Amino acid sequence: MVADAQVQNDIAVDSSEEQDLTDGFHLLIEALQLNGLHTIYGVPGIPITDLGRMAQAQGMRVISFRHEQHAGNAAAVAGYLTGKPGLCLTVSAPGFLNGLTALANATTNCFPMILISGSSEREIVDLQQGDYEEMDQLAIAKPLCKAAFRVLNARDIGIGVARAIRAAVSGRPGGVYLDLPAALFGQVMDAKEGAASLLKVIDPAPRQLPAPESVERALGVLRGAKRPLIILGKGAAYAQADDIVRDLVERSGIPYLPMSMAKGLLPDDHPQSAGAARSLVLKEADVVVMVGARLNWLLSHGKGKSWGAPGSKKFIQIDIEPGEMDSNVEIAAPLVGDIASCAAALLEGMGDNWAAPPAEWLAMVEEKRSVNLAKMAQKLGADTTPMDYHSALAALRLVVKDNPDIMLVNEGANTLDFARSIIDMFEPRKRIDVGTWGIMGIGMGAAVAAAIETGNRVLCIEGDSAFGFSGMEIETICRYNLPVCIVIFNNNGIYRGTDVNPTGNEDVAPTVFVKGIRYDRMMEAFGGIGVHATSRDGLDAAVRAALESGKPTLINAVIDEASGTESGRIGNLNPQSVVKKK
Ligand code: ADP
Ligand code: MG
């Protein structure tokens, strides 16, 4: 059959006048559209410039960036928000490598995306004869993503796209690389056969039901709990099982802790939120139910001082990835399956007469929570000049409270740590941040995807250093006229702006920037609105005006250069030298 088809293809090429023909370009675009993928984030160039043009002409949304990493970050965020793979399109070798950072980051975060890269001629690349942008891209991508495929024949484009989609979204989602050599795009074949070669993936992310005995085991552990805790991770947010997750939390009566991107799955002011009693609940809980969260560095690997006495905890873990179980500590009750199915099974097993956790435990959590909330309220009350993190965030906190539907993008060191704990979220999947790696540079890519995919307004809270990684994409934001308001917490440097070079020579310290940068003027250069804000009231007014107008806006918020700590809250990860040089 395949051989026949090939013969027919050859005939088709020869007698092109009589036959309707299609080619690699069109087949790829149609394969994507057939699967409901209508947006491409990328950077044009050889050999995919025409692909972008034609995709736009065929009705796809093609969003061009200034650098591939940001296009890739946008695709990853699109995947997270929609549950469909976000698409990133790059040129060969260098463009591909720029996109690869985002693909690896997406994979680490369990976000579905597909990096589609053009590549140079296989025959020349494999003989290392020095082609334009020569690189064995498939081999390089493989260890950095969930799956990698190359399509050599136009008739395989449909299958290639289908495999990429299924690999990206089934099981634990992740990044997929699709290698398309330049020669593929121009390959022609009979249009009818071409259309027949495309497929719409059926049930790309099938439900995965937990085994009944696993559910029983989990309920058994939960029944014996005296101080239970639920931890919600971004896997739970990704799963879009919002009602059922909320049901599980509320019907169990168990205090819960949201990981940063799970904030808003239940509103942060929910009475069961233990966010303000985080240290206490991690230390004191005896049974911890992990829902789409991993026991990685963000949770001190589930052990050590912050988790109380060794052996004092039993873990129940819901995850779609069986290999995640026991990654760091023993999981007493692994529940392998998708979150909606696992939560539904637990709810069914709990029935209507599930006993609330012991009142003593709830009182202990509540007491800590109210003490900490009061302390925080006091800190937020101080209106300092220049602004510090608390006074600036006190304003933004209220803006988000008044506009719970806006998308919040947040990166930086101190800017991230403070904003995460100070700004309450009220709706699911509204907060996008640095994720599992704690990566810098997701800001503008995430903002673009958040605006495009949701149609909502976006508030980006950026450290000045973090902004620098993707800052040029404010041109992209202006070009597409996206309702994005960027607030830069400008404290003249990385962590702080006060470091000095101890040698006294003319170079400044490695962590400081030009003092008093006017980032707002960059925005004006691209036709956006720039605001220089030196007070809390000024910041508040500017953000509200930006959200009201929906116009691309950048607010340069001047923060005391002495406020901020080394590496924010993860300074403990810095190795310290014990050697004193004379
Ligand atoms: P956080 O950083 O918020 O703690 P992680 O990214 O560490 O979250 O963990 C997310 C987890 O969710 C991953 O282990 C992933 O396998 C899992 N996951 C993602 N989607 C689903 C789903 N639909 N059902 C079950 N588990 C999921
Ligand atoms: Mg800074």
Side-chain angles (χ1 to χ4, degrees), residues 32 223 312 359 401 418 474 481 505 545:
L32 297 172
R223 269 189 208 105
S312 64
K401 193 167 188 191
F418 285 116
I474 58 177
N481 195 26
N505 81 21

Side-chain angles (χ1 to χ4, degrees), residues 108-111 171-173 231-236 238-240 258-262 290-296 298-299 317-321 324 337-340 342 435-436:
T108 301
N109 280 288
C110 314
F111 298 161
R172 169 181 279 174
I231 297 183
L232 302 175
K234 61 182 172 298
Y238 170 79
Q240 300 204 15
M259 298 299 288
S260 72
M261 285 177 64
M290 308 288 298
V291 184
R294 285 172 286 185
L295 285 167
N296 54 20
L298 287 158
L299 284 167
Q317 184 162 22
I318 301 180
D319 206 292
I320 203 154
E321 173 60 48
E324 185 56 38
D338 71 90
I339 282 160
C342 291
T436 303

Side-chain angles (χ1 to χ4, degrees), residues 389 415 463-465 489-496 513:
Y389 288 95
T415 306
D464 51 349
S465 159
F489 278 30
N490 187 353
N491 67 347
N492 293 342
I494 301 171
Y495 310 133
R496 277 187 297 267
F513 298 146

Side-chain angles (χ1 to χ4, degrees), residues 46-47 68 90-101 115 117-144 149-150 152 177-182:
I46 296 172
E68 293 86 353
T90 73
V91 303
S92 37
F96 154 77
L97 287 174
N98 287 342
L100 201 51
T101 303
L115 175 67
S117 280
S119 57
S120 301
E121 297 314 328
R122 284 250 50 79
E123 294 83 348
I124 302 176
V125 171
D126 287 350
L127 272 173
Q128 298 169 35
Q129 294 175 305
D131 202 0
Y132 166 73
E133 296 189 345
E134 177 177 294
M135 178 173 279
D136 186 355
Q137 297 172 195
L138 185 69
I140 288 164
K142 251 181 204 163
L144 296 172
F149 305 101
R150 174 185 290 140
L152 290 175
Y177 176 59
L178 193 58
D179 191 77
L180 305 180

Side-chain angles (χ1 to χ4, degrees), residues 12-28:
V13 178
D14 289 343
S15 55
S16 49
E17 276 143 359
E18 284 109 61
Q19 300 213 15
D20 264 353
L21 295 179
T22 186
D23 62 12
F25 286 112
H26 288 93
L27 288 167
L28 177 63

Side-chain angles (χ1 to χ4, degrees), residues 332-416:
L335 213 51
V336 176
D338 71 90
I339 282 160
S341 302
C342 291
L346 285 179
L347 277 165
E348 201 190 313
M350 284 161 57
D352 295 329
N353 303 313
W354 184 262
E360 240 173 286
W361 170 235
L362 298 182
M364 190 173 164
V365 177
E366 182 50 40
E367 193 194 321
K368 185 77 185 176
R369 178 177 130 114
S370 49
V371 168
N372 282 350
L373 286 176
K375 268 194 214 158
M376 175 66 87
Q378 202 175 16
K379 274 195 200 162
L380 293 176
D383 185 0
T384 60
T385 312
M387 288 184 279
D388 62 13
Y389 288 95
H390 283 90
S391 52
L393 285 166
L396 300 181
R397 169 188 162 88
L398 291 179
V399 169
V400 174
K401 193 167 188 191
D402 293 341
N403 300 273
D405 62 313
I406 60 174
M407 302 295 298
L408 182 71
V409 173
N410 186 201
E411 64 175 334
N414 292 283
T415 306
L416 174 83

